[in-house]
Amino acid sequence: MANKDSGSAHMGRSNTLQVPNGSNGTQHHEFNSMNIDSDGSGVGVTIVLPEKQERAAWDNKLQFFLSIIGYSVGLGNIWRFPYLCQQNGGGAFLIPFFIMLILEGIPLFLVEIGIGQKQRLGALGVWNIVHPWLGGLGIASCVVTFFVALYYNVIITWCFFYLFNSFRFPLPWAECPLTSNGTKVEECELSSETAYFWYRQTLDVAPSMDDSGGLKWWIVLCLMLAWIVVFFIVMKGIQSSGKVVYFTSLFPYVVLTIFFIRGITLKGAAAGLMHMYTPKIEKLLNPTVWLDAATQVFYSFGLAFGSLIAFGSYNQQNNNCVRDVIFVSITNAVTAIYASVVIFSILGFKAMANVDRCIEHNMEKLFDHGLTEASHVSPEKYEEIMQTLNETILKTWKMHPCSLERELDQAAEGTGLAFIVFTQAIVELPGAPFWAIIFFLMLLSLGLGSQIGILEGMLCTIFDIDYFRERIPKPYLTAGVCIVCFFVGLIFCTGAGEYWLSLFDSFAGTIGLVLIALLEMIAIMYVYGHEKFTKDIYDMTGYRPGLYWQITWRYLGPIIMTAILTASIIHRITNRPTYSAWDATQGITVPTPYPDWVMLIAVAIIAVGVLPIPAVFLLRRFQCLKLDTDIHQGAIRRIDTTASTREMMADVDMDEYHDYPNSQEVDDSPDDHTRAPKKLFKMEVLDD
C-alpha cells in the first residue's frame, strides 16, 4: 500500500479492497486513492471510500445568496424584531442587537458555512468527520429540524387561508357577523373583528388543550396544500428549490417597499416610528434586554438546524465564504430594521385611526348627555370637557380617555401581530383587499423561504446516509418525509392547534438548538482544532481569520450561548409554562398553565432532540457499535488522528492493527519528507 523506498503515502493508484457483505459473500470496492498519515503516536487512521457521485452544486453565486437570505430572513424579521425593539428600549435596542450580531451571530454563521463548504457534507457527515463520537450532533439537529418543520408549515397553512379570504370584498375580518335577529355576534363585540375572525372563523379555537375540538377540515386542506407546494419545491434538492428562491427571496422586499412608500404617507406614521425608535437608554441596564438581543440574533440566522452546513456544502471549495457570511449578516440585520419601519408606520396609522374613532365616540356621548351643543366640537373644547369628568362618570357612560401612546403600547408579536393587529390596520387602508393579498403573499414567501432551508438541512442529512441515497431516489424520499410531516401535523389542525404550535415553538426549537450550537462551536474549536479550521478558511478564501474571529470563536461565542442556554433552563424551571387560551365569554386570551400530561410531552420533545448526542457518544466511546462507514463522504478521504482522537483509537482492540514490514519509529514532522511505515487501522466496510 505504501511506497516503501520513499516512505511517503502513495496517491492516485487504483486499488481493490475485498470486504465482507453479510451472508452474500465478498464485495469488491474500487478506490482511486490511498492515504497514510500519523499524529506521531505510531498509529495512522486511513479511511478510503468508494468512488463518489458528484455532489450537487449551486447554479451560480446569486442562487446561493438568495437561498441563504430566504432561509435566514424569515417571519421573525417581520413579527418578532419590531416587538423586541418596542419592548426593549426602542432605538437603544439596536446597540445590544448589533453587539450580539458581531460577537455571536457572525462567528457561528461562518463556522457552519465554512465547515460545510470544506467537507462538502450535510450535518451528519460533517460531525462524523470531526469526530465519530460527535455523530449525535447531526442526528440531534435533524430531529429538532423535523419538529420545527412540523409547525412552521402550519404558519404557511394559515397564510394560505388568509390569502384565499383576501380576495373577498369586503374583507371577512372587516366587520362582525350578524346573528339571525340582526345583532352582532356577542363574542365578536367583546373582542374585535380581526380577533374574532382569527380565533373563531379561522381556528375555531377550543377553550383549552384538554379539549381538542376535533379536526377543522378547512385547515386540513390548507395544510395538505402547503405540504404539496413544499414538496414540489424541494423534491430535487437545490436543483428545484434553487429556482424558486428567486421569487421567495426577492418578492418580500418588493412588498416591503410598497408598504414603506404607502406607510410613510399615512396619518400617524411618524408617531408610530417615533414611538418605536425613541431610545430609552436606561433599558440597557436590564440584563433581559441583552439576553433578548442574543436570542433574536441566534434564531434569526437559523443556526444549528444543519441547513447552513447543507447550503455551504453545495459551494465550491474556493468560494469566499467569509465575504458571503458578512454580506448575508448585514442583509439580515438591515432587513429586520427596514421591516420594523414598515410595520410601525402602518401600526402608527392604525393607532391614530383608533384614537380618532375613540374621540368621535366620546363626542357623541357628550352630546347625548347635553355637555356639548353639537356632536363634533373643536379638539380644545373636547379636551377641556374631558378633564372635568371623573373615572366613575366615564365608566357609567361607557367612555374612556383616548391616548395615542396607549394605543401604540398595545404591543403584539407572532401570529397576534400578523393575523390580528396588522389585519386591522389593513382594513383601514383604501383598497384593503389589495393590501391584504400582497401582505399575505409576502408572509407566504418568507415562510416558504425559511421552510425550504429547514427541510434542506433535514433532507441533506438523511440523503447523506448511503442506505437511503443508494436505494431511494431523492423525490421519493422527500415525498415520504412530507407525508409523515403532514399526518403528524394534523395535531395542529384541531381546535387546540394553536396551543400545540405554541408548545412546539417554546420547547422543540429552543433549548435543543442552543445546546447543539454550543457543542458545535466547542467541537470545531477544541476537537477539530481552531488552528486547523483557520487554515481551512485560509485555504478556501485566501483570508486568514485574525484576532476577532479567534476570540469570538473560542471564548465569547461559547460564553454567550452558555448564558442563553442557562437562562432558558432557569426560566423553564422557575416559571410554570403557560399558553394563551381563548375565553369566548370575555373575548380575550387568558394565560393558562399547560396540563401535566402536556408538560410530559414537552419534556419528551426536548429529550428526543438532545438524547442522540450522549447516546452516540456512549455507544462509540465504549465500542457498543461497529465503526460504521455508510455516511456519504463527498470529497473527504481521510480523518487524521489528532490529540482529541487518540483516546478513542486506544479503545480499539489491538488485534485490529498490523505492522508494515521493517516498521520503525521516526520523527513525523511536516518538514520531514521521509516517513517510515506506520501501523494501520484496519476498517471493515459492512453493507447492511
Side-chain angles (χ1 to χ4, degrees), residues 17-18 24 64 118-119 158 268 282 344 429 453 493 524 537 556 562 651:
L17 178 66
Q18 295 186 357
N24 297 324
F64 166 68
K118 174 63 179 178
Q119 310 293 10
W158 295 336
E282 66 278 4
F344 267 85
L429 293 171
C493 299
I524 293 297
I537 298 297
L556 295 181
T562 301
D651 290 330

Side-chain angles (χ1 to χ4, degrees), residues 547-594:
L547 188 62
Y548 156 71
W549 296 102
Q550 301 301 328
I551 292 177
T552 53
W553 280 340
R554 298 167 63 186
Y555 307 111
L556 295 181
I559 289 173
I560 292 171
M561 283 182 288
T562 301
I564 296 174
L565 181 63
T566 303
S568 298
I569 294 174
I570 292 175
H571 177 75
R572 293 284 183 267
I573 295 174
T574 58
N575 298 278
R576 169 116 189 186
T578 62
Y579 64 101
S580 298
W582 178 250
D583 186 347
T585 61
Q586 301 182 65
I588 58 174
T589 56
V590 180
T592 306
Y594 286 109

Side-chain angles (χ1 to χ4, degrees), residues 125-140:
V126 160
W127 300 117
N128 274 283
I129 286 290
V130 171
H131 198 302
W133 290 358
L134 298 174
L137 275 175
I139 301 173

Side-chain angles (χ1 to χ4, degrees), residues 133 138 147 195 281 358-359 492 505 514 556 604 612 657 677:
W133 290 358
F147 286 140
I281 302 298
C358 173
I359 293 175
F492 304 110
D505 190 41
V514 179
L556 295 181
Y657 291 89

Side-chain angles (χ1 to χ4, degrees), residues 131-136 611-623:
H131 198 302
W133 290 358
L134 298 174
L611 278 181
I613 301 173
V616 172
F617 168 78
L618 293 173
L619 289 173
R620 288 181 169 172
R621 169 65 179 82
F622 296 104
Q623 298 292 301

Side-chain angles (χ1 to χ4, degrees), residues 315-613:
N315 281 327
Q316 298 300 322
Q317 286 200 348
N318 61 353
N319 175 64
N320 192 335
C321 55
V322 177
R323 181 182 59 199
D324 296 345
V325 164
I326 294 174
F327 174 79
V328 173
S329 300
I330 294 173
T331 301
N332 194 341
V334 170
T335 301
I337 297 172
Y338 184 39
S340 300
V341 172
V342 173
I343 294 296
F344 267 85
S345 64
I346 300 295
L347 294 185
F349 162 72
K350 180 190 79 75
M352 186 66 75
N354 287 346
V355 169
D356 290 344
R357 192 180 297 111
C358 173
I359 293 175
E360 183 178 351
H361 170 79
N362 288 348
M363 284 184 176
E364 290 178 355
K365 289 293 183 180
L366 294 176
F367 177 71
D368 292 341
H369 290 85
L371 296 182
T372 61
E373 298 177 354
S375 58
H376 290 83
V377 295
S378 65
E380 295 79 11
K381 182 68 174 177
Y382 167 78
E383 290 294 338
E384 180 183 340
I385 297 174
M386 288 295 293
Q387 289 176 3
T388 64
L389 303 179
N390 59 39
E391 188 173 335
T392 303
I393 294 176
L394 292 176
K395 186 175 182 180
T396 303
W397 293 354
K398 295 183 178 180
M399 299 169 59
H400 57 267
C402 305
S403 169
L404 181 62
E405 191 72 15
R406 189 188 66 181
E407 290 288 339
L408 290 171
D409 279 337
Q410 293 178 358
E413 61 172 325
T415 55
L417 174 63
F419 299 113
I420 298 177
V421 176
F422 206 82
T423 50
Q424 183 181 349
I426 288 175
V427 169
E428 305 290 343
L429 293 171
F434 167 76
W435 299 106
I437 290 170
I438 64 171
F439 176 70
F440 288 110
L441 277 175
M442 178 186 71
L443 292 186
L444 199 58
S445 299
L446 289 169
L448 286 173
S450 296
Q451 184 73 338
I452 290 170
I454 290 171
L455 279 180
E456 186 59 44
M458 179 170 60
L459 292 170
C460 179
T461 298
I462 297 173
F463 207 66
D464 272 346
I465 299 174
D466 279 349
Y467 180 86
F468 296 111
R469 183 174 57 86
E470 294 174 354
R471 291 168 172 81
I472 307 174
K474 191 159 191 176
Y476 294 168
L477 181 64
T478 305
V481 170
C482 290
I483 291 171
V484 170
C485 288
F486 167 73
F487 281 105
V488 177
L490 290 177
I491 191 175
F492 304 110
C493 299
T494 64
E498 193 199 23
Y499 308 151
W500 283 108
L501 187 141
S502 176
L503 178 82
F504 272 69
D505 190 41
S506 299
F507 292 95
T510 52
I511 294 176
L513 281 178
V514 179
L515 177 62
I516 291 169
L518 174 61
L519 294 178
E520 283 182 357
M521 187 77 88
I522 294 174
I524 293 297
M525 292 302 108
Y526 299 103
V527 178
Y528 187 79
H530 66 90
E531 293 180 351
K532 185 174 182 180
F533 185 67
T534 299
K535 183 178 182 300
D536 289 344
I537 298 297
Y538 177 74
D539 291 341
M540 292 188 294
T541 67
Y543 166 78
R544 186 177 297 278
L547 188 62
Y548 156 71
W549 296 102
Q550 301 301 328
I551 292 177
T552 53
W553 280 340
R554 298 167 63 186
Y555 307 111
L556 295 181
I559 289 173
I560 292 171
M561 283 182 288
T562 301
I564 296 174
L565 181 63
T566 303
S568 298
I569 294 174
I570 292 175
H571 177 75
R572 293 284 183 267
I573 295 174
T574 58
N575 298 278
R576 169 116 189 186
T578 62
Y579 64 101
S580 298
W582 178 250
D583 186 347
T585 61
Q586 301 182 65
I588 58 174
T589 56
V590 180
T592 306
Y594 286 109
D596 292 338
W597 64 274
V598 173
M599 287 306 303
L600 290 176
I601 295 176
V603 173
I605 289 173
I606 296 175
V608 170
V610 301
L611 278 181
I613 301 173

